[in-house]
Amino acid sequence: MAVAAPAIDTVLARPQRASTFDATWLLWIAIILVLLFLVVSPFVYLVLTSFQAERTGEFTFANYATAYGRARYVDALFNSLKLGAVSAALAGVFAVPLAWAVARTNMPGRGLTRMLVLATFITPPYTGAVAWILLAGPNAGWLNRFYMLVTGAEAGPLNIYSFTGLAVVIALYSFPYIFIFTTAALELVSSEMEDAANILGAGSWRTMRRVTLPLALPAILGGLIICFLEAIALFGSPAMIAIPARFNVVTTQLYQFFGNPVRVEVAAAYAMPLLGVTVLLVLVQRLITRRKGFVSLTGKGGERRPILLGRWRWVMFGYAMFVASLAVFLPYIFLIQSAFAKAWGRGFLLDNITIANFRFILFEHSTAAQSVINSFLYAGVSATVAVFLTLGVAYIVVRRLVPFGGGLAFLCVAPFVIPGVVLAIGFYAAYAPPPLALYGTALILILAFTTRFLPVGYVNASAAINSLNPEMEEAVRVLGGSRLTALRRVVAPLLKRNLLGAWLLIFIPATRELSAAIFLYGPNTKVASVMIFDMSEEGNFERLAALALVLQVLTLPLLWLGQKALGRDFMLRRNAT
Amino acid sequence: MSKLVLKNVAKRYGAFEAVSGFSLELAKGEFVSLLGPSGCGKTTTLRMIAGFMPPTDGTIEMDGRQISSPSGVVPPENRRMSMIFQSYAIWPNMTVGENVGFGLQVRKMSRAEIDRRVDAILDVVQMRNLKGRYPAELSGGQQQRVALARAIVVEPEVLLLDEPLSNLDANLREEMRFEIRRLHDEFKITTVYVTHDQSEAMVTSDRIVVMNKGRIEQVDAPHVLYSRPRSRFVAGFIGRTNFLEAAQQGSDVRFDGFSAPAAALEGTTGGGALLYSLRPQAIGLASQRPSGAGLSVEGEIAGRSYLGEYWDYQVRPLAGAKPLRVSTSPNAVFEVGRRVWLEIDPAAMVRVE
């Protein structure tokens, strides 16, 4: 015998009667409390507050009467719906051809196109809006000036301060959602499905129309809905463009209710349609993507051959570069120009170049540098809390350690249907008044960010844990290790990459979050996004551009890290959104 | 004293009985297989033995001490058992050596002692040279050996195996069966082996527990199980067989196309409808009427398949309707339609329920 006599000193324990109550239950209760605090209570307070009279707190419908009592308040609601529809449609026009070309054809520059979509995706919408003010501002905008130069006309044709201008700018920075959904679906359509149509006599055009597109349609619709929701929930771009253009949307109107004096009760009442539409559309979206199409598409996609476009591939490439110019090339060229300019309107002259803007925001301005630090700090804490919280929930849900795990999972993904603006109002209503009095503290921002990004964390965490065979942990236990040992020695090391990925997917968007932050920041807790917004109100585009670029540049190492750990398209996968 | 005793163990999920009335005693060092089709409750039973789930009824004892009952279970980590999983569950973040040494480390052994034992067991499974490799670099068979080494090195009181070979290809599976039995002969660890593959169970086991729909059908040594199945299910599940319906008429038992004296057959005391199992190998096939003591039945070749190791004939008795399956050596060639003689030993006919 090769192994010596046993020297195992573990003693066989007596049957444990208390085994139905162990540490997992304490953890479970703790998690429930945290989720109640983060998700349920702000929501409950939002609804309650909308029915409470200011100061007295008596039950009343007066807030609703005020919120919907004026034609322009009601107009703002319809403006939002119209804006959502137009932006989503435009985003579809940008995204679907690109997605199809990248996923299924031999268009040149597919990798480049993907990269540019990623660049679009990581550009905050408000930064894009600022860039487009530089490009298409009436008279002074670069595109208008170029048009006047070429044609000799008196005025340029473009005016960013318009409904159309706003819709285009929003579409330009939300189309990546549709792109992600559509490529994911198209990559699951195997060539064999198309071959089957071909062999029955359908040409490639007919095949695309009757087979490929219908299979991808649920995903496209799902993406359109997400874009719609993004557009109606957005605060930054409308505030920069719609307010000067003298029209309101829901979010800007909410911001005005929050101005001096803060009328949180009216704001809460006014937020209800936004919340309702979002909940409804998310349900519709789930229904669409879950029904036909996606179900049959899961599993192996089989072999995929690119469709040969022939000469048309250059046309497609041209279109891809056109979209990229609108979303990336032109905006960044002129943002950079502005950031390094003494006065952006003077253009690309050598004596107009300066680094004073960077020096100003980094060293001279009283709060700009601090705002960047705040952004990264709050985002970092939020991402860490969200990742570990959702990991804990996902673990006990997936491993069925407690009854009603599904309820916990629901609480984690529920914030997905709460627009940032609405969430902020809920947080304000719940935690601004005493006893917590968190308004203006770093904590309220961190908690709000954590809640906002819980769904991203949960989707990733549960996917990661589902990918782990439970036998890996059972093997630990059978060999004498506790559940904790299994978590520490096996689960955590195996999920390292996934956790890092989830962390980055929360951290990156959290560093540029504006919709919730604008309602919750205080004098000492200004974040970079709020700083940029303030500068845009001052019309200080050179310094603003410098700050926006600093924010973008600081993101690059994180992006690199994520791509290193998780693959090049880690942000463009479906569970990223 | 028995090593492991299961008394009337049951597991219910709502109204569904996954396992019921399961009683079994394992002697120390015994190798027992739980064999049955998927969904028969064998894995559930194994997981109850491991302590991953409590029984809804009954108890499990090890060395005379109760380790599982509906009111409480000793958690798996305190049972000093080990288990080999269907997926092997080799931890991809640890090397072969770290995987194998894990259980010893948990038992707080010294570094040197762990090294010594890991090396020794890796020698046994011929994996010593791959000690520093990560699992992703190993083939399926090598991972299987790591799993074996990891489970055995801790010298468990009981070794549990859950369909350990189902993910291997056919050749490797056959090789690993012998490997598992060899390791058992070397270490004499009390073993419970779950499988749906009858030849796996027959090669490895001292005794086989045949399970069906959550219940034990029969517990016996492999050769007894094959030659004397007690139920229709066992006879059909272990190997191929002919089921012969019969009716007793006085001192004769009438089958389809032939009859036999009741005195020569087992289980003919009651009379009425009877069912017998007759293995294809137990039937002789000849061109002339055989002169032996058994029954001789004239028949016609109704069909045949050549399977390399044997011929599989379907022979219809001249007076009967249903053909019997007969296995012969590859050299015994009869054309389809030819008249032949079947030689049946009544003692080989086993009455089943």
mmCIF file of all heavy atoms in Angstrom, chain A residues 147-171:
data_model
loop_
_atom_site.group_PDB
_atom_site.id
_atom_site.type_symbol
_atom_site.label_atom_id
_atom_site.label_comp_id
_atom_site.label_asym_id
_atom_site.label_seq_id
_atom_site.Cartn_x
_atom_site.Cartn_y
_atom_site.Cartn_z
ATOM 1 N N TYR A 147 -20.124 75.216 -44.061
ATOM 2 C CA TYR A 147 -21.152 75.354 -45.089
ATOM 3 C C TYR A 147 -21.143 76.768 -45.653
ATOM 4 O O TYR A 147 -21.175 76.969 -46.864
ATOM 5 C CB TYR A 147 -22.513 75.024 -44.481
ATOM 6 C CG TYR A 147 -23.667 75.209 -45.428
ATOM 7 C CD1 TYR A 147 -24.028 74.188 -46.329
ATOM 8 C CD2 TYR A 147 -24.410 76.391 -45.425
ATOM 9 C CE1 TYR A 147 -25.084 74.365 -47.187
ATOM 10 C CE2 TYR A 147 -25.480 76.564 -46.284
ATOM 11 C CZ TYR A 147 -25.817 75.544 -47.165
ATOM 12 O OH TYR A 147 -26.870 75.717 -48.022
ATOM 13 N N MET A 148 -21.042 77.770 -44.757
ATOM 14 C CA MET A 148 -21.033 79.159 -45.216
ATOM 15 C C MET A 148 -19.796 79.444 -46.039
ATOM 16 O O MET A 148 -19.863 80.145 -47.045
ATOM 17 C CB MET A 148 -21.105 80.103 -44.013
ATOM 18 C CG MET A 148 -22.466 80.067 -43.327
ATOM 19 S SD MET A 148 -22.620 81.303 -42.005
ATOM 20 C CE MET A 148 -21.914 80.465 -40.610
ATOM 21 N N LEU A 149 -18.685 78.867 -45.618
ATOM 22 C CA LEU A 149 -17.438 79.075 -46.335
ATOM 23 C C LEU A 149 -17.539 78.534 -47.748
ATOM 24 O O LEU A 149 -17.126 79.171 -48.713
ATOM 25 C CB LEU A 149 -16.300 78.381 -45.576
ATOM 26 C CG LEU A 149 -14.879 78.657 -46.093
ATOM 27 C CD1 LEU A 149 -14.436 80.039 -45.619
ATOM 28 C CD2 LEU A 149 -13.916 77.598 -45.592
ATOM 29 N N VAL A 150 -18.122 77.348 -47.879
ATOM 30 C CA VAL A 150 -18.188 76.691 -49.174
ATOM 31 C C VAL A 150 -19.223 77.357 -50.070
ATOM 32 O O VAL A 150 -18.985 77.603 -51.247
ATOM 33 C CB VAL A 150 -18.496 75.188 -49.008
ATOM 34 C CG1 VAL A 150 -18.753 74.520 -50.351
ATOM 35 C CG2 VAL A 150 -17.328 74.504 -48.309
ATOM 36 N N THR A 151 -20.398 77.657 -49.498
ATOM 37 C CA THR A 151 -21.484 78.149 -50.339
ATOM 38 C C THR A 151 -21.588 79.664 -50.369
ATOM 39 O O THR A 151 -22.290 80.218 -51.207
ATOM 40 C CB THR A 151 -22.843 77.612 -49.839
ATOM 41 O OG1 THR A 151 -23.035 78.081 -48.494
ATOM 42 C CG2 THR A 151 -22.878 76.092 -49.851
ATOM 43 N N GLY A 152 -20.930 80.310 -49.428
ATOM 44 C CA GLY A 152 -21.052 81.754 -49.360
ATOM 45 C C GLY A 152 -22.374 82.220 -48.793
ATOM 46 O O GLY A 152 -22.738 83.391 -48.913
ATOM 47 N N ALA A 153 -23.106 81.293 -48.193
ATOM 48 C CA ALA A 153 -24.410 81.658 -47.647
ATOM 49 C C ALA A 153 -24.266 82.532 -46.408
ATOM 50 O O ALA A 153 -23.197 82.589 -45.799
ATOM 51 C CB ALA A 153 -25.207 80.402 -47.305
ATOM 52 N N GLU A 154 -25.354 83.188 -46.047
ATOM 53 C CA GLU A 154 -25.353 84.081 -44.899
ATOM 54 C C GLU A 154 -25.386 83.325 -43.572
ATOM 55 O O GLU A 154 -24.852 83.765 -42.582
ATOM 56 C CB GLU A 154 -26.572 85.021 -44.966
ATOM 57 C CG GLU A 154 -26.473 86.048 -46.067
ATOM 58 C CD GLU A 154 -25.441 87.131 -45.732
ATOM 59 O OE1 GLU A 154 -25.650 87.856 -44.745
ATOM 60 O OE2 GLU A 154 -24.410 87.220 -46.447
ATOM 61 N N ALA A 155 -26.127 82.190 -43.580
ATOM 62 C CA ALA A 155 -26.295 81.422 -42.345
ATOM 63 C C ALA A 155 -26.166 79.935 -42.647
ATOM 64 O O ALA A 155 -26.383 79.511 -43.790
ATOM 65 C CB ALA A 155 -27.651 81.705 -41.715
ATOM 66 N N GLY A 156 -25.804 79.196 -41.611
ATOM 67 C CA GLY A 156 -25.700 77.748 -41.782
ATOM 68 C C GLY A 156 -27.054 77.086 -41.652
ATOM 69 O O GLY A 156 -27.976 77.660 -41.076
ATOM 70 N N PRO A 157 -27.165 75.885 -42.163
ATOM 71 C CA PRO A 157 -28.472 75.204 -42.143
ATOM 72 C C PRO A 157 -28.758 74.496 -40.817
ATOM 73 O O PRO A 157 -29.890 74.114 -40.569
ATOM 74 C CB PRO A 157 -28.340 74.179 -43.262
ATOM 75 C CG PRO A 157 -26.863 73.853 -43.292
ATOM 76 C CD PRO A 157 -26.129 75.092 -42.861
ATOM 77 N N LEU A 158 -27.741 74.290 -40.002
ATOM 78 C CA LEU A 158 -27.942 73.437 -38.832
ATOM 79 C C LEU A 158 -28.201 74.252 -37.581
ATOM 80 O O LEU A 158 -27.594 75.302 -37.378
ATOM 81 C CB LEU A 158 -26.703 72.560 -38.600
ATOM 82 C CG LEU A 158 -26.295 71.655 -39.756
ATOM 83 C CD1 LEU A 158 -24.997 70.948 -39.422
ATOM 84 C CD2 LEU A 158 -27.383 70.659 -40.079
ATOM 85 N N ASN A 159 -29.118 73.756 -36.753
ATOM 86 C CA ASN A 159 -29.331 74.365 -35.441
ATOM 87 C C ASN A 159 -29.518 73.268 -34.411
ATOM 88 O O ASN A 159 -30.548 72.618 -34.361
ATOM 89 C CB ASN A 159 -30.542 75.290 -35.472
ATOM 90 C CG ASN A 159 -30.736 75.947 -34.105
ATOM 91 O OD1 ASN A 159 -29.898 75.794 -33.208
ATOM 92 N ND2 ASN A 159 -31.831 76.671 -33.950
ATOM 93 N N ILE A 160 -28.478 73.085 -33.618
ATOM 94 C CA ILE A 160 -28.529 72.019 -32.629
ATOM 95 C C ILE A 160 -29.613 72.283 -31.592
ATOM 96 O O ILE A 160 -30.187 71.359 -31.027
ATOM 97 C CB ILE A 160 -27.145 71.867 -31.943
ATOM 98 C CG1 ILE A 160 -27.086 70.611 -31.079
ATOM 99 C CG2 ILE A 160 -26.824 73.076 -31.079
ATOM 100 C CD1 ILE A 160 -27.124 69.338 -31.798
ATOM 101 N N TYR A 161 -29.889 73.570 -31.380
ATOM 102 C CA TYR A 161 -30.886 73.909 -30.360
ATOM 103 C C TYR A 161 -32.290 73.738 -30.921
ATOM 104 O O TYR A 161 -33.030 74.705 -31.135
ATOM 105 C CB TYR A 161 -30.674 75.335 -29.862
ATOM 106 C CG TYR A 161 -29.346 75.496 -29.149
ATOM 107 C CD1 TYR A 161 -28.344 76.308 -29.670
ATOM 108 C CD2 TYR A 161 -29.114 74.833 -27.948
ATOM 109 C CE1 TYR A 161 -27.134 76.440 -29.018
ATOM 110 C CE2 TYR A 161 -27.906 74.968 -27.295
ATOM 111 C CZ TYR A 161 -26.918 75.768 -27.823
ATOM 112 O OH TYR A 161 -25.723 75.898 -27.184
ATOM 113 N N SER A 162 -32.645 72.503 -31.198
ATOM 114 C CA SER A 162 -33.958 72.210 -31.767
ATOM 115 C C SER A 162 -34.318 70.783 -31.381
ATOM 116 O O SER A 162 -33.471 70.012 -30.928
ATOM 117 C CB SER A 162 -33.910 72.321 -33.289
ATOM 118 O OG SER A 162 -33.012 71.351 -33.813
ATOM 119 N N PHE A 163 -35.560 70.460 -31.584
ATOM 120 C CA PHE A 163 -35.997 69.111 -31.277
ATOM 121 C C PHE A 163 -35.209 68.087 -32.091
ATOM 122 O O PHE A 163 -34.707 67.095 -31.560
ATOM 123 C CB PHE A 163 -37.495 68.966 -31.554
ATOM 124 C CG PHE A 163 -38.031 67.620 -31.217
ATOM 125 C CD1 PHE A 163 -38.455 67.313 -29.932
ATOM 126 C CD2 PHE A 163 -38.098 66.626 -32.186
ATOM 127 C CE1 PHE A 163 -38.930 66.064 -29.623
ATOM 128 C CE2 PHE A 163 -38.572 65.379 -31.881
ATOM 129 C CZ PHE A 163 -38.987 65.086 -30.597
ATOM 130 N N THR A 164 -35.072 68.363 -33.389
ATOM 131 C CA THR A 164 -34.339 67.447 -34.256
ATOM 132 C C THR A 164 -32.896 67.314 -33.795
ATOM 133 O O THR A 164 -32.349 66.210 -33.726
ATOM 134 C CB THR A 164 -34.354 67.963 -35.706
ATOM 135 O OG1 THR A 164 -35.649 68.450 -35.996
ATOM 136 C CG2 THR A 164 -33.960 66.874 -36.662
ATOM 137 N N GLY A 165 -32.288 68.452 -33.473
ATOM 138 C CA GLY A 165 -30.903 68.426 -33.027
ATOM 139 C C GLY A 165 -30.738 67.533 -31.811
ATOM 140 O O GLY A 165 -29.849 66.673 -31.760
ATOM 141 N N LEU A 166 -31.654 67.688 -30.867
ATOM 142 C CA LEU A 166 -31.578 66.884 -29.648
ATOM 143 C C LEU A 166 -31.763 65.399 -29.958
ATOM 144 O O LEU A 166 -31.008 64.545 -29.470
ATOM 145 C CB LEU A 166 -32.649 67.366 -28.661
ATOM 146 C CG LEU A 166 -32.720 66.614 -27.329
ATOM 147 C CD1 LEU A 166 -31.390 66.690 -26.600
ATOM 148 C CD2 LEU A 166 -33.831 67.178 -26.458
ATOM 149 N N ALA A 167 -32.750 65.110 -30.812
ATOM 150 C CA ALA A 167 -33.019 63.712 -31.145
ATOM 151 C C ALA A 167 -31.804 63.063 -31.805
ATOM 152 O O ALA A 167 -31.437 61.926 -31.487
ATOM 153 C CB ALA A 167 -34.239 63.608 -32.054
ATOM 154 N N VAL A 168 -31.154 63.794 -32.716
ATOM 155 C CA VAL A 168 -29.984 63.238 -33.405
ATOM 156 C C VAL A 168 -28.863 62.976 -32.399
ATOM 157 O O VAL A 168 -28.240 61.913 -32.402
ATOM 158 C CB VAL A 168 -29.506 64.187 -34.524
ATOM 159 C CG1 VAL A 168 -28.159 63.734 -35.064
ATOM 160 C CG2 VAL A 168 -30.539 64.251 -35.639
ATOM 161 N N VAL A 169 -28.615 63.960 -31.546
ATOM 162 C CA VAL A 169 -27.515 63.803 -30.594
ATOM 163 C C VAL A 169 -27.771 62.615 -29.657
ATOM 164 O O VAL A 169 -26.873 61.818 -29.377
ATOM 165 C CB VAL A 169 -27.310 65.099 -29.783
ATOM 166 C CG1 VAL A 169 -26.388 64.852 -28.609
ATOM 167 C CG2 VAL A 169 -26.728 66.163 -30.675
ATOM 168 N N ILE A 170 -29.006 62.464 -29.210
ATOM 169 C CA ILE A 170 -29.312 61.333 -28.334
ATOM 170 C C ILE A 170 -29.146 60.019 -29.082
ATOM 171 O O ILE A 170 -28.552 59.059 -28.584
ATOM 172 C CB ILE A 170 -30.733 61.473 -27.747
ATOM 173 C CG1 ILE A 170 -30.763 62.662 -26.781
ATOM 174 C CG2 ILE A 170 -31.141 60.202 -27.017
ATOM 175 C CD1 ILE A 170 -32.135 62.939 -26.210
ATOM 176 N N ALA A 171 -29.651 59.995 -30.319
ATOM 177 C CA ALA A 171 -29.554 58.762 -31.121
ATOM 178 C C ALA A 171 -28.099 58.376 -31.344
ATOM 179 O O ALA A 171 -27.731 57.201 -31.276
ATOM 180 C CB ALA A 171 -30.262 58.949 -32.461
#
